[in-house]
Amino acid sequence: MTILIKNGNIVNEGRSFRGDLIVNNDRIEDIFEGNCAPRGNYDDIIDATGCVVLPGVIDEHVHFREPGLTQKADIESESRAAAYGGVTSFFDMPNTNPQTTSLEALDDKFAHGKQKSHVNYSFFFGATNSNVELLKQLDIHRVPGVKLFMGASTGNMLVDKMEALKAVFEESARLGLPVMTHCEDSQLISRNMAEIVAKYGEDPDVKYHPVIRDEEVCSKSSELAVQLARESGAHLHIAHLSTAKELALLDHKNITGEAVIAHLVFSDEDYATKKALVKCNPAVKSKADRDALRHALMDGTIYTIGTDHAPHQLQDKQGGCIKAASGMPMIQFSLVSMLELVDAGILSLEKMVELMAHHPASLFQMKDRGYLRKGYKADITIVKPNCPWTVTKDVIQSKCKWSPLEGKTFNWQVQQTFCNGHLVYNQGKFDADYRAEEIEFRK
């Protein structure tokens, strides 16, 4: 099947130009600068006049909750939300039930992905205090990397033994797998929590969440991760940076960092109105931290943008620092949220594409994805500016059916999402029968 996407503003590899793009089956056949694609009998023609044509967004950091936590979300529902949002690939995190810390659990997740996912999928392998020997058996062509929880929020997935931490970094370096870390210091969290509970009661107001999980909590843990990475030679990718202080740790080579939508959109002022809907770990912090993260997008300090998409049932988001669950669903609205930063002059379109497509593909060495190139997989997103719409319950595709962005009006709208050349989402119409592909790495 051949598809012509014509008259769009193509944004790719640091350039923007008016052009045409031809898709042949699952691949990009050719790209033409100017409106000069050859005439022919195409199976479909998409007129992208007035629209922007981008490589499909790669979300390197999601929690789709399957298996074991499917009352919150599942791979079918959340991959549908991804397609509606222009996201064509995701990497899921290991803190499901069972946790993805055994080869059997990893294989089971791939089976779920093959059966249910509407966009391309892969799964991080989770490190523990005792499973480093299993890293040696990983197929490095199937997994993006190793996820290491150096924080308290994920229960018994916390790796806190120095010997185990060193072993995980060393083995990951030997395999050439990036180590993606959740960095928060557990002892400092416990100390801060005890102090806040003593002052404000057994479930303090959520506004104290960034006091409990403060700058020191994050920076101390991130500093340890950097030390371990430099000693081992492993590539460290620090997930969901939330403080200005941590930005100085990044060297843009073997120490890279991710910002997620929550820390780029919200600040601690939002706790007053949105309450626990914006509670996540690490905590949303000050406006100064948010603005530092935004600045670091454009100057090259931050390497990728993800979502840390983490749905909960709305009933689980009630309460304060202790009772309310941490995490929020963001994948459907990540691209349009970043396009808002483009409109605000905080980010260029070209840099946004680097952060949300090119850099994730390069960092994790995805095969033939993340760029609009001849011969690459046709993962393509078409967005339209000056097309206002409002987030309401009926447009939310995530299974939990709520969003901290509910009521917000966006100026940009996703028009089409192509996954492997297949038009999975088209102006409100969704192909529920389509199943996408397992992502390949390092080939």
Side-chain angles (χ1 to χ4, degrees), residues 345-360:
I346 293 164
L347 193 58
S348 70
L349 263 174
E350 295 80 6
K351 182 56 98 171
M352 185 202 76
V353 168
E354 283 185 9
L355 291 159
M356 300 188 83
H358 299 341
H359 287 177

Side-chain angles (χ1 to χ4, degrees), residues 79-100:
S79 66
R80 176 173 12 105
Y84 271 71
V87 177
T88 55
S89 297
F90 69 85
F91 306 160
D92 187 68
M93 291 299 163
N95 51 327
T96 45
N97 185 19
Q99 296 164 346
T100 320

Side-chain angles (χ1 to χ4, degrees), residues 214-231:
D214 62 9
E215 179 188 79
E216 185 186 9
V217 163
C218 297
S219 63
K220 184 177 178 181
S221 182
S222 292
E223 286 164 5
L224 174 59
V226 169
Q227 176 190 329
L228 292 165
R230 288 181 174 154
E231 289 173 354

Side-chain angles (χ1 to χ4, degrees), residues 99-123:
Q99 296 164 346
T100 320
T101 55
S102 71
L103 300 179
E104 294 78 14
L106 180 62
D107 286 341
D108 182 60
K109 268 204 178 174
F110 277 113
H112 282 285
K114 183 176 182 179
Q115 181 184 6
K116 299 178 181 180
S117 187
H118 301 295
V119 299
N120 304 311
Y121 56 90
S122 192
F123 304 94

Side-chain angles (χ1 to χ4, degrees), residues 344-399:
I346 293 164
L347 193 58
S348 70
L349 263 174
E350 295 80 6
K351 182 56 98 171
M352 185 202 76
V353 168
E354 283 185 9
L355 291 159
M356 300 188 83
H358 299 341
H359 287 177
S362 296
L363 171 60
F364 296 102
Q365 298 180 57
M366 297 171 70
K367 183 185 178 186
D368 296 349
R369 299 190 192 276
Y371 297 83
L372 300 179
R373 290 175 177 169
K374 287 198 290 186
Y376 269 51
K377 290 283 188 175
D379 296 339
I380 303 164
T381 298
I382 302 175
V383 291
K384 188 175 183 179
N386 305 313
C387 193
W389 61 283
T390 301
V391 179
T392 54
K393 275 193 180 4
D394 62 303
V395 305
I396 297 170
Q397 298 300 311
S398 288
K399 194 174 192 178

